[in-house]
Amino acid sequence: MTRSPEPMLARGGKAVYGVPLGILMLEARFPRIPGDMGNGTTWPFPVMYRVVRGATPERVVLEGARGLFDDFLRAAEELVSLGCEGITTNCGFLSLFQAELAARLKVPVATSSLMQVPMVQAMLPPGRRVGVVTVSAQSLTPAHLAAAGCPPDLPFVGTENGREFFRVLIKAEKDDMDVALAREDILDAGRDLVARHPEVGAIVLECTNMPPYAAALSEAVGLPVFDIVSFITWFHAGLRPRRFDRG
């Protein structure tokens, strides 16, 4: 006897389906190579982008994102209205907006790679600490750290004194980027971090443009390296848990 197929109800209420993750992008023109958060090929799952007009890296990083919260909120609300079930951003300095965005939106929010610091710290043995490589050490304030749940004495170094990364990404001195020089800037910062703080047992990359260099940095310093890709891959796994056969 042939069984009738079980009735199925397709639920509506969204404009876009199958894209649970929304990414709020800064307005910038530098190249976003594979591994960069703003390169769609970085992700093993679909994502939806929204550029927040006027939110340049210089305004967000060097000027503390002053006056930009409402712009980020509107862009996030648009992504949620389209169907996104979780929101993230492409700048670790937007940890300043974490609490308020999470309070105003009706979906989970993960603004900054720095939010990994407490979790990574919990994995380390006694006497070892998390260290951070950031795009701008002079701009990373206690308020940024507190908003991400980081300790106030977190060791970190920046890339301000490098030859390429900071001046292309933050100062927007040119549209093109010498990737080899940018890589060396990240490696130099990581080596400086562990030289200054030999107790560092793992590194978190604050900047969402740094993941292309994470593997090279891990090899150079012999430590685990966590970045926005590791964080948001974990975040997405909660939005879309893997299904397993029942046996």
Side-chain angles (χ1 to χ4, degrees):
M1 178 177 172
T2 303
R3 297 181 60 184
S4 300
E6 295 183 7
M8 295 182 61
L9 177 64
R11 298 190 178 278
K14 300 179 181 179
V16 178
Y17 294 80
V19 189
L21 182 67
I23 301 178
L24 299 173
M25 298 289 296
L26 305 193
E27 187 173 19
R29 303 296 296 178
F30 56 79
R32 297 187 178 277
I33 63 177
D36 187 295
M37 192 180 197
N39 186 312
T41 66
T42 294
W43 306 105
F45 41 77
V47 299
M48 198 181 309
Y49 293 105
R50 279 295 177 275
V51 175
V52 180
R53 299 299 177 189
T56 64
E58 189 167 13
R59 285 190 68 186
V60 171
V61 174
L62 302 186
E63 299 175 17
R66 289 190 299 273
L68 289 172
F69 175 77
D70 288 343
D71 300 286
F72 277 93
L73 178 61
R74 281 192 294 270
E77 288 174 336
E78 182 180 0
L79 286 170
V80 172
S81 72
L82 290 172
C84 291
E85 300 162 23
I87 297 295
T88 184
T89 83
N90 88 309
C91 183
F93 282 77
L94 289 168
S95 64
L96 292 175
F97 293 165
Q98 174 63 38
E100 195 165 359
L101 282 177
R104 300 282 290 273
L105 300 174
K106 297 179 180 180
V107 299
V109 176
T111 55
S112 175
S113 180
L114 293 172
M115 295 170 69
Q116 293 176 103
V117 168
M119 181 169 60
V120 176
Q121 182 63 56
M123 302 178 195
L124 297 179
R128 302 290 270 177
R129 301 187 64 195
V130 178
V132 165
V133 174
T134 175
V135 70
S136 178
Q138 65 185 8
S139 303
L140 190 60
T141 69
H144 291 97
L145 298 179
C150 300
D153 61 345
L154 179 74
F156 58 85
V157 299
T159 63
E160 295 96 325
N161 296 324
R163 293 166 290 174
E164 187 77 355
F165 194 78
F166 182 84
R167 71 188 191 93
V168 172
L169 271 69
I170 304 302
K171 301 301 291 183
E173 293 181 7
K174 57 179 181 173
D175 287 348
D176 299 330
M177 181 174 68
D178 185 319
V179 175
L181 283 181
R183 176 180 177 274
E184 288 306 309
D185 287 345
I186 305 306
L187 296 185
D188 288 346
R191 293 186 185 108
D192 185 26
L193 174 67
V194 298
R196 293 188 195 183
H197 303 278
E199 76 278 14
V200 166
I203 294 175
V204 170
L205 303 179
E206 167 274 317
C207 180
T208 69
N209 313 109
M210 291 181 179
Y213 319 104
L217 177 58
S218 181
E219 290 180 6
V221 299
L223 295 173
V225 175
F226 299 85
D227 56 32
I228 193 65
V229 174
S230 63
F231 185 38
I232 297 306
T233 300
W234 170 85
F235 184 63
H236 180 270
L239 300 176
R240 283 291 183 274
R242 178 181 170 188
R243 292 187 179 276
F244 296 91
D245 292 336
R246 296 181 180 178

